[in-house]
Amino acid sequence: MEPDVLGPPYEREIIDLGRDDEGPVVATLVRRRAERPTGRAVLYVHGFVDYFFQTHVADFFAARGWDFYALDLRKYGRSLLPHQTPNFCRDLADYFPELDAAAQLVRDRDGHETLLAMGHSTGGLILSLWANARRDAGLVDGLFLNSPFFDLNAPWFVRRPVAAAVARLGRRAPHRILPFSLGTVYGESLHADHRGEWTYDLAWKPLAGFPVRAGWLDAIRTGQRRLRAGLDIPVPVLLACSTRSFRGTKWQDAATLADAVLDVEHMVRWAPRLGHHVTVSRFDGGLHDLTLSGPAVREKVFAEVGRWADAFLGAGPTTTHPTPPRPRPSAEEDHPTADRSPADA
């Protein structure tokens, strides 16, 4: 372990993942130990155009005896090397080796008996697929999915026929940049230099994101189709999201009270496909990353996570302290009518 960019008590270690077609590949595991460890740990996985900087999340768990680990995936954040295409992959299973390695370090080397995997957005999709693929290995004891990326936030015609055509392009020209953009609304709602309250590295998490490439979209679409077909995750799952989505491309104050990236109805719709033990919690006024919402909302999020962990992970009391301060739906998924949500109107 070496000091992390966040400073004490955060430390990090590099996970060597060999090489791919762009050259050497690494992932980075960040650790923040609890003062009174309980044998329990969290493994956090970020979303697209993201990395771990949410120290208040680590503080919440550490105050309750959970050692906190965060994994910057290959080509993201701390793990992004100069020769690499930022945030790019051609298969979401490419991330399984660093997840396997991180889980082994947390459990076997550091001796934790209970492991909660926590994934935000694309990280929630990746963790769901990984937990399903490793369901017989006993690597995790529960999943907390924070606004997971289970479907494309677009009308049905774009999500299905157009996305299928782009997927075919992704297999022939994976690095082709697509005419899609995340926009700046969500970034503006977060960063303290604009309309938010958070400070983070804009080189690792640019306001307008990184280019969306055909191969990446093909990987996402393939992973989402696998999830919607039905997984068999054997551990309890908590899926949390906002009560509403914001779809504007220009700033409006409503963006501070909604998910400005994904359609929350998709998350709720596909939640039953994760496994047999899924809890869904929705938060009025929640942002895409619920833990970056306003103080009142994120306090409710942490309280819900604590109650859920008490009930389903045998975790002991996790809600006795105040929240730390800041520092089965229709299977006809491809039918236009069956797959239409209010947000598509």
Side-chain angles (χ1 to χ4, degrees):
M1 284 284 188
E2 61 184 23
D4 185 58
V5 294
L6 294 173
Y10 294 90
E11 50 192 350
R12 67 180 181 185
E13 63 183 302
I14 304 300
I15 299 173
D16 186 351
L17 298 168
R19 301 176 64 90
D20 68 3
D21 58 350
E22 293 187 321
V25 182
V26 301
T28 309
L29 187 64
V30 180
R31 181 174 69 185
R32 188 248 200 262
R33 290 187 179 275
E35 290 188 10
R36 296 180 177 82
T38 58
R40 300 189 290 268
V42 175
L43 177 61
Y44 174 88
V45 179
H46 55 79
F48 182 58
V49 190
D50 207 358
Y51 73 102
F52 171 67
F53 64 90
Q54 300 88 338
T55 57
H56 63 295
V57 179
D59 291 342
F60 168 80
F61 285 102
R64 290 147 182 82
W66 295 70
D67 286 342
F68 186 90
Y69 298 78
L71 186 65
D72 276 15
L73 300 168
R74 64 184 69 196
K75 306 186 184 185
Y76 282 86
R78 299 163 178 82
S79 306
L80 179 61
L81 302 177
H83 61 273
Q84 293 177 328
T85 304
N87 299 187
F88 182 75
C89 77
R90 296 186 63 177
D91 188 330
L92 295 185
D94 290 349
Y95 299 118
F96 290 4
E98 52 254 58
L99 288 167
D100 292 340
Q104 187 273 329
L105 290 169
V106 173
R107 279 197 176 277
D108 298 341
R109 185 194 64 185
D110 293 353
H112 294 92
E113 297 176 356
T114 300
L115 179 59
L116 169 64
M118 175 180 177
H120 167 57
S121 196
T122 304
L125 174 61
I126 294 167
L127 275 181
S128 297
L129 297 171
W130 174 71
N132 180 71
R134 303 292 187 264
R135 59 184 173 271
D136 296 327
L139 296 179
V140 298
D141 300 284
L143 290 182
F144 169 35
L145 306 179
N146 171 4
S147 305
F149 188 13
F150 286 172
D151 212 337
L152 303 176
N153 185 13
W156 174 87
F157 182 75
V158 176
R159 294 202 310 275
R160 298 298 182 261
V162 173
V166 171
R168 290 191 290 271
L169 172 64
R171 292 159 204 158
R172 300 193 306 270
H175 287 274
R176 175 79 60 85
I177 294 176
L178 302 175
F180 304 141
S181 172
L182 297 179
T184 63
V185 171
Y186 181 55
E188 288 181 52
S189 75
L190 297 183
H191 203 278
D193 290 347
H194 298 271
R195 306 171 193 269
E197 63 172 297
W198 308 99
T199 300
Y200 50 82
D201 191 331
L202 289 172
W204 289 346
K205 186 177 174 64
L207 207 65
F210 293 111
V212 175
R213 298 178 184 270
W216 177 86
L217 188 60
D218 180 37
I220 292 294
R221 183 175 179 274
T222 299
Q224 290 175 340
R225 291 180 66 191
R226 175 70 187 91
L227 180 141
R228 295 195 301 267
L231 305 181
D232 187 21
I233 298 172
V235 299
V237 180
L238 172 62
L239 186 152
C241 64
S242 184
T243 57
R244 65 177 74 92
S245 296
F246 173 85
R247 276 189 149 169
T249 58
K250 295 183 179 179
W251 178 261
Q252 297 179 36
D253 289 343
T256 64
L257 298 172
D259 189 322
V261 178
L262 299 179
D263 187 330
V264 295
E265 300 305 325
H266 293 160
M267 305 170 199
V268 176
R269 179 180 183 185
W270 300 115
R273 301 296 174 91
L274 291 163
H276 300 287
H277 194 164
V278 181
T279 302
V280 175
S281 294
R282 305 184 70 170
F283 298 88
D284 191 33
L287 297 183
H288 178 53
D289 185 341
L290 292 169
T291 70
L292 301 181
S293 303
V297 176
R298 63 180 183 258
E299 184 169 351
K300 292 177 181 177
V301 172
F302 285 127
E304 182 68 14
V305 173
R307 285 193 295 267
W308 177 83
D310 293 348
F312 296 123
L313 300 187
T318 60
T319 57
T320 56
H321 303 286
T323 301
R326 177 181 174 253
R328 211 142 308 233
S330 170
E332 299 298 324
E333 66 171 274
D334 291 323
H335 190 283
T337 301
D339 200 35
R340 190 175 178 84
S341 72
D344 292 332

